[in-house]
Amino acid sequence: MQSRLIFHNPGNRRLIIIFAGWSTTPSFYRDLHAEGWDIAVVWDYSSLDFDASVTDGYESVFIIGWSMGVAAAAHAAATTLPPERISAAFAVNGTLYPSSDSYGIPEAIYEGTRTTLNARNLLKFTKRMGYIAPDPATLPPLSPEDIYIPDFESLANELDNVRANTKKGRLPWKRAYISTGDRIFPPQSMKAYWTVDPSHPEIIEIDAPHYVRLQSIIDEVTPDLPRIGRRFKRAVPTYDANASAQQLIVNKLADMLPPQACSDIRSMLEIGAGSGMLSRRLAEILPELEEATFLDLYPLPRFDIVARECYVEADAEKWMMEAESENFDLIASANTMQWFADPDSFFRHSARVLRPGGYFLCSTFLKGNLKELDTKRPSPLLYRTSEELHAMLSRHFDEVLTSATPITLTFPTRRDLLLHLKLTGVGGGAPSSLPYSSHHSSQSTPENPLTLTYTPFYILARKK
């Protein structure tokens, strides 16, 4: 396998690796981009040796495997790419068994493609993919190394290698995208495979051919932080008066801190301070608190709750990577961590930034959060399970206490529900046209109540 960075900004510590579809090269993907992430493409399966040094220097790594790239990524995970280096993996129109009557391309068709390779048949294959070339004016210019002349013997060898591969490493597959109009991988075969895959990924069916513009996948799995920040900033003046579920969560978090901890905490870092709801609640129970740092995606109002206050506008995950070690007695966060790409990295750096004996007090959300909005689209967030989160926390903290209790809000009308989303900003990762606006009754009834379900997950952990 060969690899190349196609999108890079100095200082990025997050990487997306695209395991390419068969017969494609980096120029096929040169329009891809992601704020705060570098993007690398892996292609050419005439050899399945993978140089894992492409991940060196990165804190978080996502994998997107498309078509044959799904099996190639699994092979890399079984050989040279440590699966624990991967924060999340996403399969797009492919499985770990590309030549299979049950789970992939029917074996006779796969063999026929291999044995009849020529320019005409490769063009037919490209058309069957449903590939539509983008407007060249919107793409970066081609370099000499991007000029691609098909080598049919090498392409046939790639098909042989991928089919013969028996090494299937376990990757943290979070989603499997399946195109209902796929004419390369039968959709029913892909669904049959991903239903039994040990990772139990979320299966998302999309109305598309085999070719899917991967930018749309990247946009779904990497939250748009500027947009999220803008929505929450607009909601600051109305947040506290409308965030009834969030107030319950804040009170629960505050109640989790043991009395002795409250007396020992003098410095605090709050991630996603927002309107200051958690900040003010903690100030009530921390009599010795002397200094606090408040961090969010947008400029915050002053809270004036402790003698020394510092306000930081930043991407919390990136800021934590560079924060000074052993600097806080408490790291607190309510209703923010669900936006993070790599919770494990955040936990690791939180433990590093805490002083010995310090506390980590946070809430996030589990799968099913705001499920009523997800009837026609994938959730904009990658929710981890309680088991996953607890395992991550246990790697970095000595004492871990977690709990989960759903909160269901009922609204008299659809307008009230949508107003709740607007005035609290909690629809920050959703498209502007929410499914609830057209697929539910406008009035709540006992038989068909208008609800929103929050699934908070509470965390209290301590550093030794």
Side-chain angles (χ1 to χ4, degrees):
M1 303 185 207
Q2 300 184 60
S3 64
R4 183 194 305 170
L5 277 176
I6 60 167
F7 183 81
H8 170 65
N9 281 316
N12 281 347
R13 296 180 66 181
R14 302 167 180 157
L15 175 69
I16 297 170
I17 306 177
I18 306 294
F19 279 81
W22 173 73
S23 78
T24 65
T25 62
S27 63
F28 192 88
Y29 308 91
R30 71 185 193 277
D31 62 322
L32 301 183
H33 58 275
E35 184 175 348
W37 298 73
D38 286 351
I39 301 177
V41 170
V42 175
W43 82 103
D44 184 3
Y45 305 134
S46 56
S47 166
L48 291 182
D49 293 335
F50 177 73
D51 183 359
S53 66
V54 67
T55 66
D56 289 353
Y58 291 99
E59 184 75 24
S60 304
V61 181
F62 277 9
I63 282 178
I64 298 177
W66 174 50
S67 191
M68 299 289 180
V70 176
H75 175 86
T79 52
T80 58
L81 178 62
E84 61 271 15
R85 288 282 294 115
I86 309 305
S87 306
F90 309 90
V92 183
N93 289 334
T95 73
L96 276 62
Y97 298 89
S99 176
S100 166
D101 290 337
S102 300
Y103 293 145
I105 300 170
E107 294 177 11
I109 294 176
Y110 192 100
E111 177 61 15
T113 302
R114 189 195 72 81
T115 56
T116 61
L117 265 180
N118 55 39
R120 179 173 176 272
N121 288 340
L122 184 59
L123 180 59
K124 288 173 63 177
F125 175 84
T126 302
K127 289 181 176 179
R128 284 176 61 83
M129 283 201 307
Y131 174 66
I132 299 176
D135 180 358
T138 66
L139 299 176
L142 283 169
S143 63
E145 62 184 356
D146 289 323
I147 297 174
Y148 173 56
I149 301 175
D151 180 333
F152 298 110
E153 182 177 351
S154 177
L155 287 175
N157 185 39
E158 289 187 47
L159 290 176
D160 283 337
N161 279 350
V162 173
R163 176 170 56 182
N165 168 42
T166 59
K167 296 178 180 178
K168 314 286 186 184
R170 291 281 297 275
L171 282 167
W173 299 106
K174 298 299 180 187
R175 288 180 178 170
Y177 292 88
I178 298 175
S179 288
T180 56
D182 198 320
R183 298 176 62 200
I184 305 297
F185 274 79
Q188 66 274 16
S189 297
M190 289 190 283
K191 194 167 185 178
Y193 173 73
W194 290 112
T195 300
V196 300
D197 182 87
S199 293
H200 303 296
E202 179 184 9
I203 296 175
I204 298 173
E205 296 186 69
I206 53 179
D207 182 13
H210 182 68
Y211 169 72
V212 176
R213 187 169 178 266
L214 295 185
Q215 186 64 49
S216 65
I217 307 298
I218 291 172
D219 291 343
E220 280 191 1
V221 302
T222 57
D224 185 343
L225 297 182
R227 184 178 69 177
I228 294 164
R230 288 193 299 272
R231 290 198 177 184
F232 277 108
K233 181 181 179 181
R234 286 197 298 267
V236 166
T238 56
Y239 185 87
D240 286 7
N242 295 275
S244 53
Q246 290 80 357
Q247 185 66 67
L248 291 172
I249 293 168
V250 161
N251 291 337
K252 168 73 172 178
L253 282 174
D255 290 343
M256 291 176 71
L257 272 177
Q260 183 57 49
C262 295
S263 301
D264 293 340
I265 292 170
R266 288 171 171 75
S267 63
M268 173 182 79
L269 167 66
E270 186 182 351
I271 305 293
S275 67
M277 181 183 285
L278 177 62
S279 318
R280 291 187 293 273
R281 183 72 180 89
L282 290 175
E284 294 172 0
I285 65 171
L286 302 177
E288 304 301 323
L289 187 64
E290 300 169 351
E291 56 183 342
T293 298
F294 304 105
L295 185 150
D296 217 316
L297 290 168
Y298 52 89
L300 295 169
R302 288 199 62 85
F303 301 143
D304 293 323
I305 57 175
V306 293
R308 295 191 297 277
E309 296 181 347
C310 175
Y311 294 84
V312 179
E313 181 182 351
D315 172 344
E317 288 184 276
K318 186 175 180 180
W319 188 86
M320 287 294 286
M321 296 175 194
E322 302 164 359
E324 182 181 342
S325 298
E326 299 189 358
N327 202 32
F328 299 99
D329 298 318
L330 171 68
I331 294 176
S333 179
N335 315 316
T336 296
M337 207 172 62
Q338 66 275 10
W339 300 106
F340 293 173
D342 191 347
D344 188 66
S345 172
F346 177 69
F347 295 153
R348 179 170 65 254
H349 286 291
S350 294
R352 177 182 59 79
V353 168
L354 280 171
R355 292 173 180 149
Y359 287 88
F360 180 80
L361 181 71
C362 290
S363 71
T364 184
F365 294 98
L366 303 176
K367 189 173 182 179
N369 191 58
L370 302 182
K371 62 183 179 182
E372 294 87 350
L373 305 181
D374 296 330
T375 57
K376 289 291 181 181
R377 62 176 175 94
S379 166
L381 299 179
L382 298 174
Y383 294 111
R384 271 64 178 187
T385 67
S386 57
E387 293 80 10
E388 285 179 297
L389 291 168
H390 197 96
M392 293 176 191
L393 288 158
S394 298
R395 286 197 287 269
H396 307 298
F397 294 93
D398 295 286
E399 301 173 22
V400 178
L401 175 66
T402 61
S403 64
T405 305
I407 300 170
T408 300
L409 303 182
T410 302
F411 300 86
T413 69
R414 187 174 64 205
R415 181 182 182 278
D416 291 302
L417 184 151
L418 295 175
L419 196 60
H420 168 81
L421 294 174
K422 178 180 179 180
L423 297 179
T424 59
V426 298
S432 56
S433 177
L434 291 165
Y436 235 129
S437 63
S438 59
H439 294 278
H440 294 77
S441 170
S442 61
Q443 299 290 326
S444 185
T445 66
E447 298 77 20
N448 186 27
L450 294 171
T451 61
L452 281 178
T453 303
Y454 289 88
T455 58
F457 183 71
Y458 303 95
I459 301 165
L460 175 64
R462 193 180 188 193
K463 179 178 179 179
K464 187 173 180 180

